[in-house]
Amino acid sequence: MDVKKWLGEENKLGYDIWSRKYKYDGENFKQWLSRISGGDTDVEEMILNKEFIFAGRILSNRGLNRLGRKVTYSNCYVVAPPEDNLESIFETAKKLARTYSYGGGCGVDISKLRPKGTAVNNAAKHTTGAVSFMELYNLTTDIIGQKGRRGALMISIDINHPDVEDFIKIKSDLNKIQKANISVRVDKKFMEAVINNEKFMTEFFVEDTGEVYKKEIDAAKLFTELARQNWNYAEPGILFWDRISNWNLLSEDKEFSYAGTNPCAEEPLPAGGSCLLGSIILPSFVREDKTFDFEKLGEVVQKSVKALNDVLDEGLMLHPLEEQRESVKKWRQIGLGILGLGDLLIKMEMKYGDNESLEFCDKVARVIVNNALKKSAMLAKEFGTYPGYKKECILKSPFLLENADEDTYKLIEEFGLRNSQLLTIAPTGSIGTMLEISTGIEPNFAFSYTRKTESLHGEDKYYEVFIPIAKKYMEEHNLSSQEELPDYFISAQNLDPMARVKMQGIWQNRIDASISSTINLINKTSVEEVRSLYIEAWKRGLKGMTIYRSGCAREGILTVEPKKEEKTVETIAQKANEIKRGELKPIAEDTIYYPERMLIGCGKLKVMIGYSPSEKCIQDIYVIRSGTGGCEKNIQAVAIYMSGILRLGGNLFMLEKAIAGVSGCTSFAVARSKGQELSQGGTCPTAILNILKKFEKEMGLTNYKEAAKKIITEEKVDLTAKHSDFKNPICPECGAELEVTGGCFTCRNCGYSKCE
């Protein structure tokens, strides 16, 4: 089998990802498979059958140390939290830099650093606070390259730290901390104060001065602010630290503690901790008769646990730092997860998040955890337990008692465990895109996306591409549009967010580590709804969560970062007059294309509205067919002419005057007479214009002066936003829309990914 047969003959993007990210130099598929499997035929067979696959670092790096490369097999690390002194703070930056240079991502917690305004015994006399040192770690992450990209970083702080309010708000300045994810560690005491609307006391003891610094906060108000920051900036995320600490195999070992999480938060780890990742590819276990092969799943889980342990042993000396080598040797964490849950449920004809799917997923997860525990016990019998193993603590673990069946418990009681941590669910953004299946625990982000290609003449062409599971169903059932798919084809666009929280709760009950999680929300979601989602997540036992609301202010820095300039009412209002007569204004580099569905008299279309966050105006328009019907070439020409008028300095008022004399289209009249619901307007040009006017109104751009005022005061967040569609950031490499899944931004057009 060659790589194109493995990935699919038409899967050009998958091949590009494989060849660009995972294969080494000129190796062919057979050589690559032999390298990443370590010569293990069981692993080769599982990968060929698409039953299991390692995470990206193993796929790209395994075996390269024999060629003299200094690389790690681990995706994620947590460095020891910096102590409250300058030497330790800068030593932590050094550790981050060294880890990035080997290809690993890092988590660091800053809760030990004294709060702003407390005394220090140096020339400064008073410290700038814990939050000020985030810039140091952000800069370190930015400057250390990793094969064409930068390192990944998570910075966290405890809710009990007096600087937590500053921490929560830091990303509201879009120029700060762009190279790190941030999360707040909250506990039960704080959450109860939130629900009971009580005050909450933060406290910090400064050891070298004996000073006790206290600050009272309004818990409910702070939690609402945290939700508001998520609503508008997609960060900080929340880590439910009690659940992280109490729901794992080591919860009863009082000498063990987690120091933080990795960048996508699926791996809580001790100081110096690291984890190797791999995923079970769930759709491969659905039989032709739409039943699920639980027995085969159990076999693959056990083989996968062995495979990850083999990689752990092989890579033990390849970790960048001594503290990492010591921690991995002592605790032997592995992270076996899942891939393709969204596709699995579609194959089983189950609706993501309803009771049937939750019960089914619980059964699947129970098989995974029980077999993972069983295999780790069998490996302990053969090779010994992990060095930090304490039998009396493990056997009392509530997680173990809940998830091991009687036979597995007896095996552990007799032989112990080879690993202190076994299961996690990572984002799997690049790998899922490569294999053309849904990623991690997420539903499919969408069932189609727009692909841009360039012709030989340099002209951009756009195509609506359907993902394989939707394309196959549509072909088999002779469907022309994704709107005709059955209701169990659930995507991020039509998923109830509460159903997504319920699904994560089901899986978290069977996962001893954590789950990388992004809840995708439509633009009109309110701050209060975000707040409710987080409270529900806490009640259902999630270990962490973040949200991404489409069209939020954070989109700007996820695309191309434009040069900043001071904005005033006058400078913004004069934008339309800056273009010389007869010259087309170039499309702004940060233009985001927002899809709008259009129902016309003879078919369905998608209008792509190119909008620039930096210039706050529509830049471009193009139209593609979304099904059958429509005078496609004429409509494309209309869109081109409309774009031309806008790029020549015109506005929608001018467009309206230009088409004012166009009489109504017969197809619109006939369709309406039959009771069909159509887009507002009597012709395609007027329907497009009405969509543009609606878009401008929702963005507050109907008047230059009003728009300018809105831009200047945009930090005063509008809680009554009405824009209803998903508005995605664009890829900084090719300009296509990015999918937001599991904490990762992935491009279906070119394979770009951020924070895999």
Side-chain angles (χ1 to χ4, degrees):
M1 180 184 292
D2 63 18
V3 66
K4 291 190 176 179
K5 187 174 181 181
W6 180 60
L7 291 173
E9 294 291 341
E10 297 180 3
N11 186 8
K12 182 180 182 302
L13 175 58
Y15 177 80
D16 288 345
I17 293 173
W18 175 79
S19 60
R20 187 175 65 178
K21 291 189 173 216
Y22 303 134
K23 84 164 188 172
Y24 181 70
D25 283 354
E27 69 182 352
N28 59 35
F29 181 61
K30 184 177 180 181
Q31 292 167 333
W32 174 77
L33 195 60
S34 176
R35 174 172 65 81
I36 66 165
S37 66
D40 187 325
T41 55
D42 281 343
V43 175
E44 283 195 19
E45 183 180 357
M46 289 191 298
I47 292 174
L48 284 171
N49 293 338
K50 296 182 181 176
E51 297 167 338
F52 165 81
I53 193 164
F54 291 118
R57 291 296 187 275
I58 302 173
L59 296 184
S60 61
N61 293 347
R62 189 177 189 184
L64 296 187
N65 61 299
R66 292 189 287 271
L67 302 175
R69 295 286 305 280
K70 291 183 177 180
V71 290
T72 176
Y73 300 165
S74 291
N75 281 60
C76 45
Y77 292 88
V78 168
V79 299
E83 298 296 331
D84 191 27
N85 59 73
L86 280 175
E87 291 79 10
S88 180
I89 289 168
F90 281 87
E91 180 66 22
T92 298
K94 177 183 173 182
K95 292 177 183 178
L96 293 176
R98 177 52 62 203
T99 304
Y100 296 148
S101 73
Y102 276 64
C106 288
V108 60
D109 187 83
I110 60 171
S111 301
K112 290 184 177 181
L113 304 184
R114 69 189 70 187
K116 180 173 60 178
T118 50
V120 290
N121 294 319
N122 58 34
K125 295 189 178 179
H126 294 92
T127 180
T128 52
V131 172
S132 65
F133 291 103
M134 295 170 71
E135 291 285 4
L136 170 65
Y137 301 144
N138 180 76
L139 177 62
T140 305
T141 308
D142 188 27
I143 62 179
I144 305 297
Q146 294 182 346
K147 197 177 178 181
R149 67 181 189 180
R150 299 293 173 233
L153 173 66
M154 167 71 83
I155 304 176
S156 60
I157 199 169
D158 194 280
I159 194 68
N160 295 283
H161 195 288
D163 282 354
V164 68
E165 292 177 276
D166 292 339
F167 182 92
I168 285 172
K169 296 177 181 179
I170 193 165
K171 283 210 169 185
S172 60
D173 183 339
L174 296 178
N175 295 312
K176 287 189 175 181
I177 318 300
Q178 295 183 12
K179 307 304 177 183
N181 297 333
I182 66 171
S183 286
V184 180
R185 296 165 41 168
V186 304
D187 56 25
K188 181 180 179 182
K189 182 180 177 183
F190 173 75
M191 291 303 297
E192 288 177 343
V194 170
I195 292 171
N196 296 326
N197 201 25
E198 296 173 346
K199 299 293 183 181
F200 182 80
M201 184 65 72
T202 63
E203 183 174 332
F204 191 95
F205 174 69
V206 184
E207 290 188 7
D208 60 359
T209 66
E211 181 182 6
V212 178
Y213 188 93
K214 295 184 179 183
K215 185 177 181 181
E216 187 178 70
I217 59 175
D218 184 319
K221 185 177 179 181
L222 182 67
F223 192 74
T224 299
E225 179 60 24
L226 204 162
R228 192 189 80 86
Q229 292 294 323
N230 272 258
W231 180 90
N232 206 31
Y233 302 101
E235 291 195 79
I238 297 181
L239 300 171
F240 298 109
W241 206 251
D242 288 330
R243 180 67 165 172
I244 286 174
S245 301
N246 298 332
W247 193 246
N248 59 75
L249 293 167
L250 295 166
S251 63
E252 305 310 299
D253 184 349
K254 303 311 176 186
E255 295 181 2
F256 175 86
S257 64
Y258 290 115
T261 75
N262 72 313
C264 287
E266 75 272 13
E267 276 294 328
L269 292 164
S274 170
C275 190
L276 295 157
L277 304 177
S279 297
I280 303 295
I281 305 173
L282 291 178
S284 298
F285 300 94
V286 180
R287 303 186 184 98
E288 290 295 325
D289 62 355
K290 292 186 172 58
T291 58
F292 191 83
D293 195 338
F294 288 99
E295 183 178 352
K296 180 67 173 177
L297 173 65
E299 293 172 1
V300 169
V301 168
Q302 293 199 29
K303 291 177 183 178
S304 301
V305 168
K306 177 184 179 298
L308 286 169
N309 272 279
D310 289 344
V311 174
L312 189 153
D313 290 326
E314 182 184 316
L316 188 59
M317 299 312 296
L318 301 178
H319 299 289
L321 305 173
E322 180 61 29
E323 73 176 44
Q324 294 163 348
R325 294 188 283 272
E326 290 298 320
S327 180
V328 172
K329 182 179 179 181
K330 182 176 183 179
W331 300 110
R332 296 186 63 88
Q333 295 99 341
I334 62 172
L336 180 62
I338 61 168
L339 176 61
L341 177 62
D343 282 11
L344 166 67
L345 294 176
I346 289 172
K347 281 192 169 188
M348 297 295 293
E349 298 185 359
M350 295 181 184
K351 193 172 180 179
Y352 189 110
D354 70 6
N355 289 336
E356 182 187 20
S357 73
L358 296 177
E359 291 173 6
F360 171 70
C361 285
D362 188 51
K363 187 176 179 181
V364 172
R366 182 64 185 264
V367 170
I368 292 173
V369 63
N370 189 63
N371 278 278
L373 289 164
K374 182 178 293 184
K375 186 61 179 180
S376 189
M378 293 162 65
L379 290 172
K381 175 185 177 182
E382 187 175 357
F383 301 106
T385 65
Y386 63 89
Y389 180 76
K390 295 179 182 176
K391 179 177 180 179
E392 68 281 5
C393 296
I394 291 294
L395 294 179
K396 291 189 295 184
S397 161
F399 178 86
L400 180 69
L401 294 170
E402 170 69 22
N403 286 291
D405 66 19
E406 185 177 352
D407 291 342
T408 298
Y409 188 87
K410 287 180 179 178
L411 278 174
I412 297 170
E413 190 174 31
E414 184 173 359
F415 303 115
L417 288 169
R418 185 66 172 155
N419 312 96
S420 69
Q421 194 158 285
L422 287 162
L423 301 177
T424 191
I425 300 181
T428 67
S430 292
I431 293 171
T433 302
M434 180 178 76
L435 297 177
E436 295 189 304
I437 57 177
S438 61
T439 57
I441 195 177
E442 315 285 347
N444 284 276
F445 187 79
F447 294 116
S448 70
Y449 58 95
T450 301
R451 189 86 189 265
K452 182 178 76 171
T453 61
E454 289 190 9
S455 71
L456 294 175
H457 302 290
E459 178 189 357
D460 289 345
K461 290 187 177 294
Y462 301 88
Y463 302 92
E464 188 167 26
V465 181
F466 291 92
I467 66 169
I469 196 165
K471 181 180 179 182
K472 181 181 178 183
Y473 188 94
M474 291 171 69
E475 289 174 348
E476 290 176 348
H477 295 82
N478 197 29
L479 305 182
S480 60
S481 171
Q482 63 176 302
E483 281 79 10
E484 301 173 74
L485 291 168
D487 64 355
Y488 56 80
F489 274 77
I490 295 294
S491 71
Q493 273 76 1
N494 61 6
L495 175 66
D496 176 1
M498 283 296 182
R500 173 63 181 74
V501 171
K502 291 177 184 178
M503 180 62 77
Q504 187 167 334
I506 287 293
W507 281 95
Q508 189 62 80
N509 200 43
R510 308 296 182 193
I511 299 290
D512 59 324
S514 192
I515 299 171
S516 177
S517 168
T518 300
I519 309 295
N520 285 282
L521 302 175
I522 59 176
N523 185 271
K524 69 180 179 181
T525 304
S526 68
V527 173
E528 184 56 38
E529 288 172 312
V530 172
R531 190 180 189 276
S532 297
L533 282 169
Y534 275 117
I535 290 175
E536 185 68 18
W538 174 65
K539 289 179 177 178
R540 289 187 175 270
L542 274 63
K543 290 187 175 181
M545 193 179 84
T546 191
I547 67 101
Y548 187 85
R549 184 181 65 90
S550 61
C552 69
R554 200 73 190 159
E555 279 187 1
I557 68 160
L558 294 170
T559 55
V560 179
E561 297 168 26
K563 292 181 180 179
K564 300 293 179 183
E565 61 178 76
E566 187 176 354
K567 292 181 173 67
T568 66
V569 172
E570 288 72 23
T571 57
I572 297 170
Q574 290 169 3
K575 283 284 185 181
N577 299 319
E578 291 177 356
I579 305 166
K580 293 181 181 178
R581 185 176 179 85
E583 289 187 9
L584 286 173
K585 176 187 176 297
I587 297 172
E589 288 185 335
D590 67 337
T591 297
I592 303 166
Y593 282 91
Y594 296 143
E596 297 282 355
R597 299 285 178 180
M598 191 168 85
L599 301 176
I600 60 175
C602 55
K604 300 174 182 178
L605 301 171
K606 184 191 286 186
V607 181
M608 303 297 292
I609 304 173
Y611 171 74
S612 164
S614 63
E615 299 193 8
K616 303 294 180 183
C617 65
I618 295 174
Q619 301 278 303
D620 184 30
I621 311 157
Y622 68 87
V623 178
I624 55 178
R625 184 178 288 174
S626 181
T628 59
C631 312
E632 186 175 23
K633 300 303 179 184
N634 287 336
I635 295 168
Q636 287 178 352
V638 168
I640 290 169
Y641 281 122
M642 285 183 167
S643 289
I645 290 175
L646 295 177
R647 290 175 63 189
L648 285 167
N651 53 44
L652 298 194
F653 303 109
M654 295 177 184
L655 292 181
E656 190 168 31
K657 287 182 180 179
I659 63 174
V662 179
S663 59
C665 174
T666 305
S667 66
F668 273 75
V670 171
R672 286 202 171 96
S673 71
K674 295 179 179 178
Q676 295 181 24
E677 290 188 9
L678 303 181
S679 297
Q680 183 183 357
T683 65
C684 289
T686 57
I688 294 172
L689 176 63
N690 285 327
I691 286 173
L692 298 180
K693 288 166 70 176
K694 179 174 178 287
F695 182 89
E696 279 206 344
K697 182 178 179 182
E698 290 168 346
M699 289 293 192
L701 305 174
T702 51
N703 176 280
Y704 286 118
K705 291 280 186 180
E706 290 178 4
K709 291 176 183 177
K710 180 179 175 66
I711 293 163
I712 294 168
T713 59
E714 64 184 348
E715 287 302 312
K716 298 176 181 178
V717 179
D718 175 12
L719 302 186
T720 59
K722 298 298 182 183
H723 209 46
S724 59
D725 288 330
F726 277 83
K727 309 300 178 187
N728 309 333
I730 62 169
C731 175
E733 292 189 3
C734 72
E737 294 180 11
L738 290 173
E739 294 186 2
V740 188
T741 53
C744 285
F745 296 86
T746 306
C747 179
R748 290 274 184 180
N749 192 59
C750 71
Y752 164 86
S753 68
K754 177 180 181 290
C755 239
E756 182 191 45

